[in-house]
Amino acid sequence: MTTSAPAADRLAEADRAVADLVRGESAWAALGLARRRELLERVHTAAGEHAAAWVRAAAAYKRLPDDSPLTGEEWITGPYPVLTGTGALAASIRALEAGRSPVDAFTTRPAPGGRVAVRVLPHSVYDRLLLSGFSADVWMPPGITTDEIRDRAGLALRRPKETGGVGVVLGAGNITSIPVLDVLYELYAHNRVVVLKLNPVTDGLLTVFRAVLAPLIDAGAVRILTGGADIGTHLVHHPDVGHVHMTGSAVTHDAIVFGTGAAGADRKRAGTPLLDKPVTSELGGVSPTLVLPGNWSDADLRFQAEHVATQRLHNGGYNCVASQVVVLSSGWAQKDRFLAHLRAALAKAPARPAYYPGSDDRVAQALTEYAGARRIGDRVLIEDLDARDPGPALTTEYFAPVLGVLELPGDPAAFLDDAVTTANERFAGTLGVNLIAHPRTLAALGPALDEAIARLRYGTVAVNAWTGVGYLTATASWGAFPGHTVDDVQSGIGVVHNALLLDGPERTVVRGPFRPAPRSLLHGEPSLSPKPPWFVTNRTAATTGRLLSGFAAAPRWSALPGIFASALRG
């Protein structure tokens, strides 16, 4: 279906897609675990075969030149997480087939507040080599025991004949793996057949997505449609659709659930949704980066400034978990030097087209709202946020290359305590928070660090890493902190990815190296990781991303030397 077709034809095709899935639900229910795994493995193969076409299509709508290192972002956030995700999910199904739990091969440890954490990264020897120095743990809610984690992992695949009806996935328009991963999670975690409605920004990926998901389309479990808001509205209100999952903003969520204008606002206040069916979501927010004071070398200041610039500028700033406000200690002796490096990193990052609709308007809005905002190329830095009255930067997701700086007082311990409270109580959204600190500072904090992590009400917490690493970790959970409701949705309801199919995870905690190799080794950090390929200043990101995707399609020792050689040149 194309958006140029007459409206009646497009609505009729949407109806046919739903009718196909009503019939397909029975066919899906009849498939055992082995057959479902085989279909997933065929999706994995197709993703590898069509990876290059996928990246070309994404680069085309984002208007990236073919030879730009920035196409590495399209490899690493497009086919790569789909390849790793299908591989990890197939391994979970294999465990269930054998009568085991998907988490049997993973270790657990105690976490603060009576929690249990599942170590999901590193898991294989390949993880230890390719992501040296990085780790990820999924923290379960307080009181959930290790035995309960193991017994419940598998979700709907423990009862494959009990299907969940027809669901609609409203696809994202920014990161191209999101629509495919969301479809797979609906189908495998919830046993729900799916119609995917693409965001119009990504219509150029329709052919690729249909090729990648062809095994599931042929099985009658998936349909893919294009179209505008009229098709999305028709689908979510269709009487044969029982569930909706969306990726986007809280504003879009509320328009879908309550309607628009004054009537929609009245429904939200009254708690009477226009859409009376379950809705799960992964939404954005204002993600902070908390930078703890310490005694850093100039190389440390420069590297971490590039790290923060990446957290804001990756994919042009059009990420639900892009950092929007850097929180610094006003008393940090190196604050001014760090800010000088941050300005330089923002200026050094490659320019790119503002492909996402409304971006230029949101940049102009930030420049109007803050007299002290400065342009640095095609991006904006706001250094004069007032802690008493910071304005909209803490509550409005700009979804554009806009970065603010907020200062709070205190030494590392006092600053961290205040910063956690500020992040929890004053920032909109709960999707992700970053924390950057020198290893000596982390050591001095001791148990207070884990206690601070436990206090942070965010779905992903990253220490000396970007929360985007959590997105890229297939076995980690991804989504808002639990507890939101449709009338106060914040960053969403439910999780995705979660290839271990853990029941009700609370958060993912990612840790990374403070320094890149070889400086990490010179300072006693056990990390071989050079500048990560997702850094916007990485010169070989395109080659490294392509090689990593090829490896994820067919893991093999012979591929590693080429990956390492490309990564070291980055």
Side-chain angles (χ1 to χ4, degrees):
M1 180 177 66
T2 64
T3 53
S4 61
D9 291 348
R10 291 187 284 114
L11 294 176
E13 186 166 359
D15 288 339
R16 287 194 297 274
V18 174
D20 287 348
L21 291 170
V22 169
R23 292 187 293 272
E25 182 183 6
S26 299
W28 184 252
L31 297 181
L33 291 179
R35 179 59 178 152
R36 295 186 187 194
R37 173 178 51 77
E38 290 167 4
L39 290 171
L40 187 65
E41 290 167 344
R42 288 172 55 195
V43 170
H44 176 92
T45 299
E49 292 171 347
H50 296 277
W54 185 328
V55 170
R56 285 195 300 272
Y61 85 77
K62 297 181 183 184
R63 305 200 298 277
L64 297 176
D66 292 341
D67 60 351
S68 171
L70 294 174
T71 59
E73 295 178 354
E74 303 315 315
W75 284 102
I76 293 169
T77 64
Y80 175 76
V82 171
L83 288 161
T84 58
T86 49
L89 185 55
S92 291
I93 300 173
R94 217 173 284 118
L96 292 168
E97 288 178 70
R100 296 181 283 105
S101 170
V103 296
D104 279 348
F106 292 78
T107 60
T108 60
R109 66 172 184 84
R115 295 173 174 87
V116 173
V118 181
R119 171 57 56 93
V120 297
L121 180 76
H123 180 60
S124 69
V125 65
Y126 292 142
D127 291 342
R128 291 177 173 84
L129 291 171
L130 293 173
L131 289 165
S132 175
F134 288 90
S135 67
D137 297 299
V138 177
W139 289 18
M140 301 300 289
I144 303 297
T145 67
T146 300
D147 286 344
E148 288 171 327
I149 294 170
R150 297 188 185 283
D151 290 345
R152 297 175 186 174
L155 299 179
L157 287 181
R158 289 190 170 274
R159 303 170 302 280
K161 294 186 181 300
E162 299 176 17
T163 51
V166 177
V168 167
V169 167
L170 300 177
N174 55 344
I175 296 298
T176 62
S177 57
I178 293 175
V180 177
L181 291 172
D182 287 354
V183 164
L184 295 177
Y185 200 69
E186 287 293 287
L187 194 54
Y188 283 88
H190 299 299
N191 223 0
R192 192 177 290 130
V193 293
V194 184
V195 55
L196 167 63
K197 207 288 287 183
L198 296 182
N199 185 304
V201 176
T202 64
D203 280 357
L205 284 158
L206 175 64
T207 300
V208 170
F209 284 170
R210 281 184 170 160
V212 170
L213 292 171
L216 298 170
I217 293 172
D218 293 344
V222 173
R223 291 292 182 268
I224 307 177
L225 302 174
T226 60
D230 58 333
I231 299 300
T233 300
H234 184 73
L235 286 169
V236 300
H237 289 282
H238 196 290
D240 290 330
V241 167
H243 182 274
V244 176
H245 178 82
M246 65 163 291
T247 298
S249 69
V251 172
T252 302
H253 169 276
D254 287 352
I256 291 169
V257 173
F258 296 102
T260 57
D266 289 343
R267 292 189 196 95
K268 184 176 178 181
R269 280 191 294 269
T272 55
L274 182 66
L275 182 64
D276 188 19
K277 59 186 68 175
V279 180
T280 55
S281 51
E282 187 264 85
L283 310 175
V286 178
S287 291
T289 295
L290 317 178
V291 181
L292 274 63
N295 185 17
W296 299 12
S297 71
D298 199 61
D300 296 336
L301 292 166
R302 184 169 54 253
F303 177 76
Q304 292 299 343
E306 288 189 30
H307 193 183
V308 172
T310 288
Q311 293 172 8
R312 173 68 269 182
L313 298 180
H314 183 277
N315 195 38
Y318 313 122
N319 285 336
C320 290
V321 78
S323 178
Q324 185 164 298
V325 177
V326 185
V327 185
L328 301 174
S329 170
S330 56
W332 185 22
Q334 295 178 300
K335 177 193 69 179
D336 291 341
R337 188 65 184 147
F338 176 79
L339 287 173
H341 278 296
L342 180 58
R343 292 182 211 109
L346 293 172
K348 179 183 176 183
R352 66 176 92 196
Y355 77 86
Y356 207 86
S359 176
D360 290 339
D361 291 340
R362 293 188 293 274
V363 167
Q365 175 188 347
L367 289 167
T368 300
E369 290 164 340
Y370 292 97
R374 68 169 75 183
R375 274 195 178 273
I376 302 178
D378 57 0
R379 55 226 47 163
V380 172
L381 181 64
I382 309 167
E383 292 187 43
D384 60 345
L385 295 182
D386 187 332
R388 294 165 299 179
D389 183 18
L394 273 62
T395 56
T396 299
E397 182 188 14
Y398 285 114
F399 213 66
V402 176
L403 181 65
V405 179
L406 178 71
E407 296 184 15
L408 300 174
D411 61 15
F415 170 82
L416 178 59
D417 183 67
D418 193 8
V420 168
T421 299
T422 300
N424 282 341
E425 297 180 1
R426 302 187 68 184
F427 281 71
T430 66
L431 188 59
V433 58
N434 311 284
L435 191 155
I436 297 173
H438 194 285
R440 285 195 298 270
T441 303
L442 297 178
L445 287 169
L449 175 64
D450 269 0
E451 292 167 6
I453 292 172
R455 283 180 55 208
L456 283 163
R457 296 192 296 270
Y458 285 82
T460 298
V461 180
V463 180
N464 287 337
W466 178 35
T467 47
V469 178
Y471 177 92
L472 294 176
T473 303
T475 44
S477 61
W478 183 255
F481 194 76
H484 301 315
T485 57
V486 289
D487 55 352
D488 183 22
V489 75
Q490 296 283 319
S491 288
I493 298 169
V495 300
V496 290
H497 302 189
N498 187 28
L500 297 185
L501 301 173
L502 299 170
D503 187 10
E506 182 184 70
R507 75 184 85 197
T508 290
V509 178
V510 177
R511 289 178 170 86
F514 181 70
R515 307 175 181 91
R519 285 196 304 114
S520 56
L521 300 175
L522 296 175
H523 290 83
E525 286 184 88
S527 173
L528 300 173
S529 176
K531 180 184 289 186
W534 52 84
F535 267 43
V536 294
T537 50
N538 190 300
R539 294 170 296 179
T540 60
T543 301
T544 304
R546 175 177 54 79
L547 293 172
L548 282 170
S549 296
F551 176 83
R556 60 211 182 277
W557 288 102
S558 61
L560 297 183
I563 296 173
F564 292 145
S566 179
L568 289 170
R569 292 195 303 271

